[in-house]
Amino acid sequence: MKLWNAIGGFATDFVDKVFDSDEAVASDEVVQEWAKETTDPEKGAVKGFPTSFEDKETVAKVLQTIMWMASGLHAAVNFPQYEEYGYVPHKPLHLRADLSTMPEDDAEIREWMFENMFPHINTDDDWLRESANTLVTDEHAAIDSLAMVRLLTTPSRNCLDNLSDRFEKIGTEAYDKFLKNLNVISEEIEARNDEAEKANKAPYNYLNPSNVPSSIDI
């Protein structure tokens, strides 16, 4: 994946700027303490994380993975939610009856689901607001669902391609190179989306670097 590879290149360049050699990594107390605390069962307890760092390549790979999970992976998984949940009947988020009341007869389940899961935009039904068995009493359940998914998918103000001010003191050259690679990826995605639009197909912007957050910032 191009974005994954670009992040990996940036991680490698940044590590090369900080550490002159593998020996420098192995002797760095802060880096070793990071590995120790992260893998300690009583502290971080992160399985698969290196118990120590002996070379620059391992540090770069760990940084690449962390950056990818909080940026590209999060964008690809999180932001499409609005297309799926934005039409509330497609994915209702509210249940107005206990699951124990669901009929066992398959022929009755569909009607039960429509009655108890289909969203209310507004209602004056007393039973909805007053029933002791009601799990959701908000008469604007559908609006609440839309508001929640909109909040979860709100674009970030700090995307991968606007972080120059974060690397003014160290890693400037590494980030500038990274930014050039990101711009190439953005241009390729935008060109592909132009072709998709001409073919009456849906565009895909979730991994366009200009839309990918630098971290999970909800």
Side-chain angles (χ1 to χ4, degrees), residues 32-58:
Q32 300 307 326
E33 184 60 29
W34 176 36
K36 180 180 179 181
E37 182 171 325
T38 303
T39 56
D40 189 330
E42 301 299 323
K43 295 182 179 180
V46 177
K47 294 183 179 180
F49 198 90
T51 56
S52 65
F53 290 103
E54 305 300 329
D55 53 70
K56 296 193 296 180
E57 182 180 0
T58 303

Side-chain angles (χ1 to χ4, degrees), residues 35-107:
K36 180 180 179 181
E37 182 171 325
T38 303
T39 56
D40 189 330
E42 301 299 323
K43 295 182 179 180
V46 177
K47 294 183 179 180
F49 198 90
T51 56
S52 65
F53 290 103
E54 305 300 329
D55 53 70
K56 296 193 296 180
E57 182 180 0
T58 303
V59 176
K61 180 59 68 175
V62 168
L63 293 178
Q64 178 186 20
T65 302
I66 292 175
M67 287 189 286
W68 165 252
M69 291 178 66
S71 59
L73 179 61
H74 175 68
V77 173
N78 181 72
F79 292 124
Q81 287 186 101
Y82 193 82
E83 277 66 32
E84 185 168 359
Y85 291 93
Y87 179 60
V88 181
H90 183 230
K91 285 279 188 175
L93 300 181
H94 293 82
L95 183 65
R96 297 186 296 277
D98 195 292
L99 284 174
S100 64
T101 65
M102 180 183 289
E104 295 183 3
D105 188 345
D106 290 344

Side-chain angles (χ1 to χ4, degrees), residues 10 13-14 17 171-179:
F10 171 57
D13 292 340
F14 190 86
K17 179 65 177 178
T172 303
E173 293 181 1
Y175 182 75
D176 287 346
K177 179 181 175 181
F178 181 46
L179 185 58

Side-chain angles (χ1 to χ4, degrees), residues 14-169:
F14 190 86
V15 170
D16 285 342
K17 179 65 177 178
V18 176
F19 297 103
D20 295 330
S21 63
D22 292 340
E23 290 73 18
V25 171
S27 62
D28 190 290
E29 295 182 0
V30 174
V31 171
Q32 300 307 326
E33 184 60 29
W34 176 36
K36 180 180 179 181
E37 182 171 325
T38 303
T39 56
D40 189 330
E42 301 299 323
K43 295 182 179 180
V46 177
K47 294 183 179 180
F49 198 90
T51 56
S52 65
F53 290 103
E54 305 300 329
D55 53 70
K56 296 193 296 180
E57 182 180 0
T58 303
V59 176
K61 180 59 68 175
V62 168
L63 293 178
Q64 178 186 20
T65 302
I66 292 175
M67 287 189 286
W68 165 252
M69 291 178 66
S71 59
L73 179 61
H74 175 68
V77 173
N78 181 72
F79 292 124
Q81 287 186 101
Y82 193 82
E83 277 66 32
E84 185 168 359
Y85 291 93
Y87 179 60
V88 181
H90 183 230
K91 285 279 188 175
L93 300 181
H94 293 82
L95 183 65
R96 297 186 296 277
D98 195 292
L99 284 174
S100 64
T101 65
M102 180 183 289
E104 295 183 3
D105 188 345
D106 290 344
E108 299 177 5
I109 290 179
R110 181 178 177 84
E111 182 177 349
W112 184 92
M113 291 179 66
F114 270 94
E115 180 180 349
N116 295 293
M117 299 178 70
F118 208 72
H120 284 263
I121 294 179
N122 197 357
T123 180
D124 292 324
D125 292 344
D126 291 337
W127 68 267
L128 177 62
R129 297 192 298 271
E130 299 175 1
S131 171
N133 293 324
T134 297
L135 301 184
V136 176
T137 58
D138 187 357
E139 60 184 7
H140 299 288
I143 303 301
D144 288 348
S145 296
L146 282 171
M148 185 187 73
V149 73
R150 186 69 185 93
L151 174 63
L152 291 174
T153 58
T154 299
S156 174
R157 296 182 179 180
N158 301 298
C159 293
L160 291 177
D161 64 348
N162 61 4
L163 302 175
S164 296
D165 59 329
R166 311 290 178 88
F167 298 96
E168 292 179 346
K169 295 183 178 180

Side-chain angles (χ1 to χ4, degrees), residues 161-209:
D161 64 348
N162 61 4
L163 302 175
S164 296
D165 59 329
R166 311 290 178 88
F167 298 96
E168 292 179 346
K169 295 183 178 180
I170 186 171
T172 303
E173 293 181 1
Y175 182 75
D176 287 346
K177 179 181 175 181
F178 181 46
L179 185 58
K180 291 179 181 178
N181 291 332
L182 294 180
N183 290 336
V184 170
I185 295 173
S186 290
E187 291 173 358
E188 291 177 350
I189 291 176
E190 290 167 4
R192 186 177 63 209
N193 284 338
D194 287 342
E195 293 300 316
E197 184 176 357
K198 293 176 183 177
N200 200 29
K201 296 180 180 180
Y204 185 88
N205 285 309
Y206 303 121
L207 288 179
N208 187 328

